[in-house]
Coordinates of all heavy atoms in Angstrom, one line a residue:
M1 N 40.3 30.5 -31.9 CA 41.6 30.5 -32.3 C 42.6 31.5 -31.6 O 43.7 31.3 -31.4 CB 41.7 30.6 -33.9 CG 43.1 30.4 -34.4 SD 43.5 28.7 -34.3 CE 43.4 28.2 -36.0
E2 N 42.1 32.7 -31.6 CA 42.9 33.8 -31.1 C 43.3 33.5 -29.7 O 44.4 33.8 -29.3 CB 42.1 35.1 -31.2 CG 43.0 36.2 -31.4 CD 42.2 37.6 -31.6 OE1 41.3 37.5 -32.6 OE2 42.3 38.5 -31.1
L3 N 42.3 33.0 -28.8 CA 42.6 32.7 -27.5 C 43.7 31.6 -27.3 O 44.6 31.8 -26.5 CB 41.4 32.4 -26.7 CG 41.5 31.8 -25.3 CD1 41.9 33.0 -24.5 CD2 40.1 31.5 -24.8
L4 N 43.6 30.6 -28.3 CA 44.6 29.6 -28.2 C 46.0 30.1 -28.5 O 47.0 29.8 -27.8 CB 44.3 28.6 -29.2 CG 42.8 27.9 -28.9 CD1 42.6 26.8 -30.0 CD2 42.9 27.2 -27.6
M5 N 46.2 31.0 -29.4 CA 47.4 31.8 -29.7 C 47.9 32.5 -28.5 O 49.1 32.5 -28.3 CB 47.2 32.5 -31.0 CG 47.0 31.7 -32.2 SD 48.1 30.4 -32.5 CE 49.7 31.3 -32.9
I6 N 47.1 33.1 -27.8 CA 47.4 34.0 -26.6 C 48.0 33.0 -25.6 O 49.1 33.3 -25.1 CB 46.3 34.8 -26.2 CG1 46.0 35.8 -27.2 CG2 46.6 35.5 -24.7 CD1 44.6 36.7 -26.7
I7 N 47.3 32.0 -25.4 CA 47.8 30.9 -24.4 C 49.1 30.4 -24.8 O 50.0 30.2 -24.0 CB 46.7 29.9 -24.1 CG1 45.4 30.3 -23.5 CG2 47.4 28.8 -23.4 CD1 44.3 29.4 -23.4
Y8 N 49.2 30.2 -26.1 CA 50.6 29.6 -26.6 C 51.8 30.5 -26.3 O 52.8 30.2 -25.9 CB 50.5 29.2 -28.1 CG 51.6 28.7 -28.6 CD1 51.9 27.2 -28.6 CD2 52.6 29.3 -29.4 CE1 53.0 26.6 -29.1 CE2 53.7 28.8 -29.9 CZ 53.9 27.4 -29.8 OH 55.0 26.7 -30.3
K9 N 51.5 31.8 -26.6 CA 52.4 32.9 -26.5 C 52.8 33.1 -24.9 O 53.9 33.3 -24.6 CB 52.0 34.1 -27.0 CG 52.0 34.2 -28.5 CD 51.5 35.5 -29.1 CE 51.6 35.4 -30.6 NZ 51.0 36.8 -31.2
I10 N 51.8 33.0 -24.0 CA 52.0 33.0 -22.7 C 52.9 32.0 -22.2 O 53.8 32.0 -21.4 CB 50.7 33.0 -21.9 CG1 49.9 34.3 -22.0 CG2 50.9 32.7 -20.4 CD1 48.6 34.4 -21.5
K11 N 52.8 30.7 -22.7 CA 53.6 29.6 -22.4 C 54.9 29.7 -23.1 O 55.7 28.6 -23.1 CB 52.9 28.3 -22.7 CG 51.7 28.1 -21.8 CD 50.9 26.8 -22.2 CE 49.8 26.6 -21.2 NZ 50.1 25.6 -20.3
K12 N 55.1 30.7 -23.9 CA 56.4 30.9 -24.5 C 56.8 29.7 -25.6 O 58.0 29.4 -25.6 CB 57.6 31.2 -23.6 CG 57.2 32.3 -22.7 CD 58.2 33.4 -23.1 CE 57.9 34.5 -21.9 NZ 57.8 35.9 -22.5
G13 N 55.8 29.2 -26.1 CA 56.1 28.1 -26.9 C 56.5 26.7 -26.5 O 57.1 26.0 -27.1
S14 N 56.3 26.6 -25.1 CA 56.8 25.4 -24.5 C 55.6 24.4 -24.3 O 55.4 24.1 -23.2 CB 57.5 25.8 -23.2 OG 56.7 26.4 -22.3
V15 N 55.0 24.1 -25.4 CA 53.9 23.2 -25.2 C 54.3 21.8 -25.8 O 54.5 21.6 -26.9 CB 52.6 23.6 -26.1 CG1 51.4 22.8 -25.9 CG2 52.2 25.2 -25.6
P16 N 54.3 20.9 -24.9 CA 54.8 19.4 -25.1 C 53.7 18.7 -25.7 O 52.6 18.9 -25.4 CB 55.4 18.9 -23.9 CG 54.6 19.6 -22.8 CD 54.2 21.0 -23.4
D17 N 54.1 17.6 -26.5 CA 53.2 16.5 -26.8 C 52.7 15.8 -25.5 O 53.4 15.9 -24.5 CB 53.6 15.7 -28.0 CG 54.8 15.0 -27.7 OD1 55.4 15.1 -26.6 OD2 55.2 14.2 -28.6
E18 N 52.0 14.7 -25.8 CA 51.6 13.9 -24.7 C 52.8 13.2 -24.0 O 52.9 13.0 -22.8 CB 50.5 12.8 -25.0 CG 49.2 13.5 -24.9 CD 48.0 12.5 -25.1 OE1 48.3 11.2 -25.5 OE2 47.0 13.0 -24.8
S19 N 53.9 12.8 -24.8 CA 55.0 12.2 -24.3 C 55.9 13.1 -23.5 O 56.8 12.7 -22.7 CB 55.7 11.4 -25.4 OG 56.5 12.5 -26.2
G20 N 55.7 14.3 -23.9 CA 56.7 15.3 -23.2 C 57.9 15.4 -23.9 O 58.7 16.4 -23.5
A21 N 58.2 14.8 -24.9 CA 59.5 14.7 -25.6 C 59.5 15.8 -26.7 O 60.7 16.2 -27.0 CB 59.8 13.3 -26.2
V22 N 58.4 16.1 -27.3 CA 58.5 17.1 -28.5 C 57.7 18.3 -28.1 O 56.6 18.1 -27.6 CB 57.7 16.3 -29.8 CG1 57.8 17.3 -30.9 CG2 58.5 15.0 -30.0
I23 N 58.4 19.4 -28.4 CA 57.7 20.7 -28.2 C 56.9 21.0 -29.6 O 57.4 21.0 -30.6 CB 58.6 21.9 -27.9 CG1 59.4 21.6 -26.5 CG2 58.1 23.1 -27.8 CD1 58.6 21.4 -25.4
L24 N 55.7 21.3 -29.4 CA 54.7 21.5 -30.5 C 54.8 23.1 -31.0 O 54.9 23.9 -30.1 CB 53.3 21.2 -30.1 CG 53.1 19.7 -29.7 CD1 51.6 19.6 -29.3 CD2 53.5 18.8 -30.8
T25 N 54.7 23.3 -32.3 CA 54.5 24.6 -32.8 C 53.2 25.0 -32.6 O 52.2 24.3 -32.3 CB 54.9 24.6 -34.3 OG1 53.9 23.9 -35.1 CG2 56.2 24.0 -34.6
S26 N 52.8 26.4 -32.8 CA 51.5 26.9 -32.6 C 50.6 26.0 -33.5 O 49.4 25.8 -33.2 CB 51.4 28.5 -32.8 OG 51.8 28.7 -34.0
E27 N 50.9 26.0 -34.8 CA 50.2 25.2 -35.7 C 49.9 23.8 -35.4 O 48.7 23.3 -35.6 CB 50.9 25.2 -37.2 CG 51.0 26.5 -37.8 CD 52.1 27.4 -37.3 OE1 53.1 26.8 -36.7 OE2 52.2 28.6 -37.4
Q28 N 50.8 23.1 -34.7 CA 50.6 21.8 -34.4 C 49.7 21.7 -33.1 O 48.9 20.8 -33.0 CB 52.0 21.1 -34.0 CG 52.8 20.9 -35.1 CD 54.2 20.3 -34.6 OE1 54.9 21.0 -33.8 NE2 54.8 19.4 -35.3
V29 N 49.6 22.8 -32.2 CA 48.8 22.8 -31.2 C 47.3 23.0 -31.6 O 46.4 22.2 -31.2 CB 49.2 24.0 -30.2 CG1 48.1 24.3 -29.2 CG2 50.4 23.7 -29.5
C30 N 47.2 23.8 -32.6 CA 45.8 24.1 -33.2 C 45.3 22.8 -33.9 O 44.1 22.4 -33.6 CB 45.8 25.2 -34.1 SG 46.1 26.8 -33.3
Q31 N 46.2 22.1 -34.6 CA 45.8 20.9 -35.2 C 45.4 19.8 -34.2 O 44.4 19.2 -34.4 CB 46.9 20.3 -36.0 CG 47.1 21.2 -37.4 CD 48.4 20.6 -38.1 OE1 49.1 19.7 -37.6 NE2 48.6 21.2 -39.3
R32 N 46.2 19.7 -33.2 CA 45.9 18.8 -32.1 C 44.5 19.1 -31.4 O 43.8 18.1 -31.1 CB 47.1 18.8 -31.1 CG 46.9 17.9 -29.8 CD 46.8 16.5 -30.2 NE 46.5 15.7 -29.1 CZ 47.4 15.2 -28.2 NH1 48.7 15.5 -28.3 NH2 47.0 14.6 -27.3
I33 N 44.2 20.4 -31.2 CA 42.9 20.7 -30.4 C 41.9 20.4 -31.4 O 41.0 19.8 -30.9 CB 43.0 22.2 -30.2 CG1 44.1 22.4 -28.9 CG2 41.6 22.7 -29.8 CD1 44.3 23.9 -28.7
F34 N 42.0 20.6 -32.7 CA 40.9 20.3 -33.6 C 40.7 18.7 -33.6 O 39.6 18.2 -33.7 CB 41.2 20.7 -35.1 CG 40.6 22.1 -35.3 CD1 41.2 23.2 -34.9 CD2 39.2 22.2 -35.8 CE1 40.7 24.5 -35.2 CE2 38.7 23.4 -36.1 CZ 39.4 24.5 -35.7
Q35 N 41.9 17.9 -33.6 CA 41.7 16.5 -33.5 C 41.0 16.1 -32.3 O 40.1 15.1 -32.2 CB 43.1 15.7 -33.5 CG 43.9 15.9 -34.9 CD 45.2 15.5 -34.7 OE1 45.8 15.2 -33.7 NE2 45.9 15.4 -35.9
E36 N 41.3 16.7 -31.2 CA 40.6 16.3 -29.9 C 39.3 16.7 -29.8 O 38.4 16.0 -29.2 CB 41.3 17.0 -28.7 CG 42.9 16.7 -28.6 CD 43.1 15.4 -27.9 OE1 42.1 15.0 -27.0 OE2 44.1 14.8 -28.1
V37 N 38.7 17.9 -30.3 CA 37.4 18.3 -30.0 C 36.5 18.5 -31.2 O 35.3 18.4 -31.0 CB 37.6 19.8 -29.3 CG1 38.3 19.7 -28.1 CG2 38.0 20.9 -30.1
D38 N 36.9 18.4 -32.5 CA 36.1 18.6 -33.6 C 35.5 17.2 -33.9 O 35.9 16.7 -34.9 CB 36.8 19.3 -34.7 CG 36.0 19.5 -35.9 OD1 34.6 19.8 -35.8 OD2 36.3 19.8 -37.1
V39 N 34.5 16.7 -33.2 CA 33.9 15.4 -33.3 C 33.2 15.1 -34.5 O 33.3 14.2 -35.1 CB 33.1 15.1 -32.1 CG1 33.8 14.9 -30.8 CG2 31.9 16.0 -31.9
N40 N 32.6 16.2 -35.3 CA 32.0 16.1 -36.5 C 32.8 16.4 -37.8 O 32.4 16.1 -38.9 CB 30.7 16.8 -36.5 CG 30.9 18.2 -36.5 OD1 32.0 18.8 -36.3 ND2 29.9 19.0 -36.4
N41 N 34.2 16.7 -37.5 CA 35.1 17.0 -38.5 C 34.6 17.9 -39.6 O 34.9 17.7 -40.7 CB 35.5 15.6 -39.2 CG 36.2 14.8 -38.2 OD1 37.0 15.2 -37.4 ND2 35.9 13.4 -38.2
D42 N 34.0 19.1 -39.1 CA 33.5 20.0 -40.0 C 34.5 21.2 -40.1 O 34.2 22.1 -40.9 CB 32.1 20.5 -39.7 CG 32.1 21.3 -38.4 OD1 33.1 21.3 -37.7 OD2 30.9 21.8 -38.1
G43 N 35.6 21.0 -39.4 CA 36.6 22.2 -39.4 C 36.3 23.4 -38.7 O 37.0 24.4 -38.7
Q44 N 35.2 23.2 -37.9 CA 34.8 24.4 -37.0 C 34.6 23.7 -35.6 O 34.1 22.5 -35.5 CB 33.5 25.0 -37.5 CG 33.7 25.8 -38.8 CD 32.5 26.4 -39.2 OE1 31.4 26.3 -38.5 NE2 32.5 27.1 -40.3
I45 N 34.8 24.5 -34.5 CA 34.7 24.0 -33.1 C 33.5 24.8 -32.5 O 33.7 26.1 -32.4 CB 35.9 24.0 -32.3 CG1 37.0 23.3 -33.0 CG2 35.7 23.7 -31.0 CD1 38.3 23.4 -32.3
T46 N 32.5 24.1 -32.2 CA 31.4 24.8 -31.4 C 31.8 24.9 -29.9 O 32.7 24.2 -29.4 CB 30.1 24.1 -31.6 OG1 30.2 22.9 -30.8 CG2 29.6 24.1 -33.0
L47 N 31.2 25.8 -29.2 CA 31.4 25.9 -27.8 C 31.2 24.6 -27.1 O 31.9 24.2 -26.3 CB 30.6 27.0 -27.1 CG 30.8 27.2 -25.6 CD1 32.3 27.5 -25.2 CD2 29.8 28.3 -25.1
E48 N 30.1 24.0 -27.5 CA 29.8 22.5 -26.9 C 30.9 21.5 -27.2 O 31.3 20.7 -26.2 CB 28.4 22.2 -27.5 CG 28.0 20.8 -26.8 CD 26.7 20.4 -27.5 OE1 25.9 21.1 -27.8 OE2 26.3 19.1 -27.4
E49 N 31.4 21.5 -28.4 CA 32.4 20.7 -28.7 C 33.7 20.9 -28.0 O 34.4 19.9 -27.4 CB 32.8 20.7 -30.2 CG 31.8 20.0 -31.2 CD 32.2 20.2 -32.7 OE1 32.6 21.3 -33.0 OE2 32.1 19.2 -33.4
F50 N 34.0 22.2 -27.9 CA 35.2 22.6 -27.2 C 35.2 22.1 -25.7 O 36.0 21.5 -25.2 CB 35.6 24.1 -27.3 CG 36.7 24.5 -26.6 CD1 37.9 24.3 -27.3 CD2 36.9 25.0 -25.3 CE1 39.1 24.7 -26.8 CE2 38.1 25.4 -24.7 CZ 39.2 25.3 -25.5
V51 N 33.9 22.5 -25.0 CA 33.9 22.2 -23.7 C 33.9 20.6 -23.4 O 34.6 20.1 -22.5 CB 32.6 22.7 -23.0 CG1 32.3 22.1 -21.7 CG2 32.5 24.2 -23.0
E52 N 33.2 19.9 -24.2 CA 33.0 18.4 -24.0 C 34.5 17.7 -24.4 O 35.0 16.9 -23.7 CB 32.1 17.8 -24.9 CG 30.7 18.0 -24.5 CD 29.5 17.6 -25.4 OE1 29.9 16.9 -26.5 OE2 28.3 17.8 -25.2
G53 N 35.2 18.4 -25.4 CA 36.6 17.9 -25.8 C 37.5 18.2 -24.6 O 38.5 17.3 -24.3
A54 N 37.5 19.5 -24.0 CA 38.4 19.7 -23.0 C 38.1 18.9 -21.8 O 39.1 18.5 -21.0 CB 38.2 21.2 -22.6
Q55 N 36.9 18.4 -21.5 CA 36.6 17.6 -20.5 C 37.2 16.1 -20.7 O 37.6 15.5 -19.6 CB 35.1 17.5 -20.2 CG 34.6 18.7 -19.7 CD 33.0 18.7 -19.5 OE1 32.3 18.0 -20.2 NE2 32.6 19.7 -18.7
R56 N 37.2 15.7 -21.8 CA 37.7 14.4 -22.2 C 39.3 14.3 -22.3 O 39.8 13.2 -22.1 CB 37.3 13.9 -23.6 CG 35.8 13.5 -23.7 CD 35.6 12.9 -25.1 NE 36.0 13.6 -26.2 CZ 35.3 14.6 -26.8 NH1 34.0 14.8 -26.4 NH2 35.8 15.2 -27.9
S57 N 39.9 15.4 -22.7 CA 41.2 15.3 -23.0 C 42.2 16.0 -21.8 O 42.3 17.2 -21.6 CB 41.5 16.2 -24.3 OG 43.0 16.3 -24.5
A58 N 43.0 15.1 -21.3 CA 44.0 15.5 -20.3 C 45.1 16.4 -20.9 O 45.4 17.4 -20.3 CB 44.7 14.3 -19.7
W59 N 45.5 16.1 -22.1 CA 46.3 17.0 -22.8 C 45.8 18.4 -23.0 O 46.5 19.5 -22.6 CB 46.8 16.5 -24.2 CG 47.7 17.4 -24.8 CD1 49.1 17.5 -24.7 CD2 47.5 18.4 -25.8 NE1 49.7 18.4 -25.6 CE2 48.6 19.1 -26.2 CE3 46.2 18.9 -26.3 CZ2 48.7 20.2 -27.1 CZ3 46.3 20.0 -27.3 CH2 47.4 20.5 -27.6
L60 N 44.7 18.6 -23.5 CA 44.0 20.0 -23.6 C 43.9 20.6 -22.2 O 44.1 21.8 -22.1 CB 42.7 19.8 -24.3 CG 42.0 21.1 -24.7 CD1 42.9 22.0 -25.4 CD2 40.7 20.9 -25.6
Q61 N 43.5 19.9 -21.3 CA 43.3 20.5 -20.0 C 44.6 21.1 -19.5 O 44.8 22.1 -18.9 CB 42.9 19.4 -18.9 CG 41.4 19.1 -19.1 CD 41.0 17.9 -18.3 OE1 41.7 17.6 -17.2 NE2 40.0 17.3 -18.6
G62 N 45.8 20.3 -19.8 CA 47.2 20.8 -19.4 C 47.5 22.0 -20.2 O 48.2 23.0 -19.7
F63 N 47.1 22.1 -21.4 CA 47.3 23.2 -22.3 C 46.7 24.5 -21.8 O 47.2 25.5 -21.6 CB 47.0 23.0 -23.7 CG 47.1 24.2 -24.7 CD1 48.4 24.6 -25.0 CD2 45.9 24.7 -25.1 CE1 48.4 25.7 -25.8 CE2 46.0 26.0 -25.8 CZ 47.2 26.5 -26.3
L64 N 45.4 24.3 -21.4 CA 44.7 25.4 -21.1 C 45.0 25.9 -19.5 O 44.9 27.1 -19.1 CB 43.1 25.0 -21.0 CG 42.6 24.8 -22.4 CD1 41.1 24.2 -22.3 CD2 42.7 26.0 -23.3
K65 N 45.7 25.1 -18.7 CA 46.1 25.4 -17.4 C 47.3 26.3 -17.6 O 48.3 26.1 -18.1 CB 46.4 24.1 -16.6 CG 46.9 24.5 -15.3 CD 47.1 23.1 -14.7 CE 47.7 23.2 -13.1 NZ 48.0 22.0 -12.5
L66 N 47.1 27.6 -16.9 CA 48.1 28.6 -16.9 C 48.9 28.5 -15.6 O 48.5 28.4 -14.6 CB 47.5 30.0 -17.1 CG 46.9 30.2 -18.3 CD1 46.3 31.7 -18.4 CD2 47.8 30.2 -19.5
D67 N 50.2 28.6 -15.9 CA 51.2 28.5 -14.7 C 51.2 29.8 -14.1 O 51.3 30.9 -14.6 CB 52.6 28.2 -15.3 CG 53.7 28.0 -14.3 OD1 53.3 28.2 -13.1 OD2 54.8 27.5 -14.6
I68 N 51.1 29.8 -12.7 CA 51.0 31.1 -11.9 C 52.5 31.6 -11.9 O 52.5 32.7 -11.3 CB 50.3 31.0 -10.6 CG1 51.0 30.0 -9.7 CG2 48.9 30.6 -10.7 CD1 50.6 30.0 -8.3
N69 N 53.5 30.9 -12.2 CA 54.8 31.4 -12.1 C 55.4 31.2 -13.4 O 56.4 30.5 -13.6 CB 55.5 30.6 -11.1 CG 56.8 31.1 -10.8 OD1 57.1 32.3 -11.2 ND2 57.7 30.4 -10.2
P70 N 55.0 31.9 -14.5 CA 55.5 31.7 -15.8 C 56.9 32.1 -15.9 O 57.4 33.1 -15.5 CB 54.7 32.6 -16.9 CG 54.1 33.5 -15.9 CD 53.9 33.0 -14.5
N71 N 57.7 31.0 -16.5 CA 59.2 31.2 -16.6 C 60.0 31.7 -15.5 O 61.0 32.3 -15.5 CB 59.3 32.1 -17.8 CG 58.7 31.6 -19.1 OD1 59.0 30.4 -19.4 ND2 58.0 32.5 -19.8
G72 N 59.4 31.3 -14.3 CA 60.2 31.6 -13.0 C 60.2 33.1 -12.7 O 60.9 33.5 -11.7
Y73 N 59.3 33.9 -13.3 CA 59.2 35.3 -13.1 C 59.2 35.7 -11.5 O 59.8 36.4 -10.9 CB 58.1 36.0 -13.7 CG 58.1 37.5 -13.5 CD1 58.8 38.4 -14.0 CD2 57.1 37.9 -12.5 CE1 58.7 39.7 -13.5 CE2 56.9 39.1 -12.2 CZ 57.9 40.1 -12.6 OH 57.6 41.4 -12.2
V74 N 58.0 35.0 -11.0 CA 57.8 35.3 -9.4 C 59.0 34.9 -8.6 O 59.3 35.7 -7.8 CB 56.5 34.5 -9.0 CG1 56.4 34.7 -7.6 CG2 55.3 35.0 -9.8
Q75 N 59.7 33.8 -8.9 CA 60.8 33.4 -8.1 C 61.9 34.4 -8.4 O 62.6 34.8 -7.3 CB 61.1 31.9 -8.6 CG 62.4 31.4 -7.7 CD 62.7 30.0 -8.1 OE1 62.3 29.4 -9.1 NE2 63.5 29.4 -7.3
K76 N 62.2 34.8 -9.6 CA 63.3 35.7 -9.7 C 62.9 37.1 -9.2 O 63.8 37.6 -8.5 CB 63.5 35.8 -11.3 CG 64.6 36.9 -11.6 CD 64.7 37.1 -13.1 CE 65.7 38.2 -13.5 NZ 66.2 39.2 -12.6
Y77 N 61.8 37.5 -9.2 CA 61.4 38.8 -8.6 C 61.4 38.7 -7.1 O 62.1 39.6 -6.5 CB 59.8 39.0 -9.0 CG 59.4 40.3 -8.3 CD1 59.7 41.5 -8.8 CD2 58.4 40.2 -7.2 CE1 59.1 42.7 -8.2 CE2 57.9 41.2 -6.7 CZ 58.3 42.6 -7.0 OH 57.9 43.7 -6.4
M78 N 61.1 37.6 -6.4 CA 61.3 37.5 -5.0 C 62.7 37.5 -4.6 O 63.1 38.1 -3.5 CB 60.4 36.3 -4.4 CG 59.0 36.4 -4.7 SD 58.3 37.9 -3.8 CE 58.5 37.5 -2.3
C79 N 63.5 36.7 -5.3 CA 64.9 36.7 -5.1 C 65.6 38.1 -5.1 O 66.4 38.5 -4.4 CB 65.7 35.7 -6.1 SG 67.4 35.5 -5.7
D80 N 65.2 38.8 -6.3 CA 65.8 40.1 -6.5 C 65.4 41.0 -5.3 O 66.3 41.8 -4.8 CB 65.3 40.7 -7.9 CG 66.0 40.2 -9.0 OD1 66.9 39.3 -8.9 OD2 65.4 40.3 -10.1
R81 N 64.2 40.9 -4.8 CA 63.8 41.8 -3.6 C 64.5 41.4 -2.3 O 64.8 42.3 -1.6 CB 62.2 41.6 -3.5 CG 61.4 42.3 -4.6 CD 60.0 42.3 -4.3 NE 59.6 42.9 -2.9 CZ 59.2 44.1 -2.8 NH1 58.8 44.8 -3.8 NH2 58.9 44.4 -1.5
K82 N 64.9 40.1 -2.1 CA 65.6 39.6 -1.0 C 67.0 40.2 -1.1 O 67.5 40.7 -0.1 CB 65.5 38.1 -0.9 CG 64.2 37.6 -0.4 CD 64.3 36.2 -0.4 CE 63.0 35.5 0.0 NZ 63.0 34.1 -0.1
L83 N 67.4 40.1 -2.3 CA 68.9 40.6 -2.4 C 69.0 42.2 -2.0 O 69.8 42.8 -1.5 CB 69.5 40.4 -3.8 CG 69.7 39.0 -4.2 CD1 70.2 38.8 -5.5 CD2 70.9 38.5 -3.3
E84 N 67.9 43.0 -2.7 CA 67.9 44.4 -2.4 C 67.6 44.7 -0.9 O 68.2 45.5 -0.4 CB 66.8 45.0 -3.3 CG 67.1 45.1 -4.8 CD 66.2 45.9 -5.6 OE1 65.4 46.7 -4.9 OE2 66.3 45.7 -6.7
A85 N 66.7 43.9 -0.4 CA 66.4 44.1 1.2 C 67.8 43.8 2.0 O 68.1 44.6 2.9 CB 65.3 43.2 1.6
G86 N 68.6 42.9 1.4 CA 69.8 42.6 2.2 C 70.9 43.8 2.0 O 71.7 44.0 3.0
K87 N 70.9 44.5 1.0 CA 71.7 45.5 0.8 C 71.4 46.8 1.8 O 72.3 47.5 2.2 CB 71.6 46.1 -0.7 CG 72.1 45.3 -1.6 CD 72.0 45.8 -3.0 CE 72.4 45.0 -4.2 NZ 72.1 45.5 -5.4
D88 N 70.0 46.9 2.1 CA 69.6 47.9 3.0 C 70.0 47.7 4.5 O 70.0 48.6 5.3 CB 68.1 48.0 3.0 CG 67.6 48.7 1.6 OD1 68.5 49.2 0.8 OD2 66.3 48.4 1.3
S89 N 70.4 46.4 4.8 CA 70.7 46.1 6.2 C 72.1 46.6 6.6 O 73.0 46.6 5.9 CB 70.6 44.6 6.4 OG 69.5 44.1 6.2

């Protein structure tokens, strides 16, 4: 659960549902993950359930995939560096 909250925070709360039309809250994300992977509905997720569920669910795979350029940081950083390099010329 803690890892899922960290991923949610890294994504700055921009986790869409499957349609892409609705942004889910952290609670909704956790509920969705339990729906996807808790196959025996015991309210707990084993490592086996999680791995198998992640392999089945395109939505969960997308959630777990981290963007290497979160919120355009890298692009902004590179742009700022180019501007500064232009000032030195």
Side-chain angles (χ1 to χ4, degrees):
M1 181 70 107
E2 211 171 308
L3 178 61
L4 301 175
M5 294 306 293
I6 291 168
I7 294 171
Y8 185 84
K9 287 179 183 178
I10 288 171
K11 292 180 175 259
K12 303 252 185 219
S14 60
V15 180
D17 65 357
E18 280 192 342
S19 71
V22 177
I23 300 299
L24 302 175
T25 66
S26 59
E27 292 81 18
Q28 290 170 321
V29 168
C30 288
Q31 288 173 354
R32 175 67 187 270
I33 291 170
F34 268 86
Q35 289 171 353
E36 296 279 336
V37 302
D38 187 18
V39 292
N40 62 1
N41 295 317
D42 67 353
Q44 297 181 357
I45 299 173
T46 64
L47 178 59
E48 184 179 333
E49 283 178 316
F50 185 81
V51 170
E52 289 176 2
Q55 290 173 341
R56 283 190 312 269
S57 171
W59 177 86
L60 183 53
Q61 291 171 18
F63 172 73
L64 294 172
K65 183 179 178 181
L66 293 178
D67 186 353
I68 60 168
N69 186 16
N71 298 312
Y73 171 79
V74 172
Q75 184 178 12
K76 180 183 179 332
Y77 175 76
M78 294 304 291
C79 182
D80 289 348
R81 287 188 53 108
K82 286 179 186 176
L83 290 174
E84 286 184 20
K87 290 179 187 176
D88 294 338
S89 303

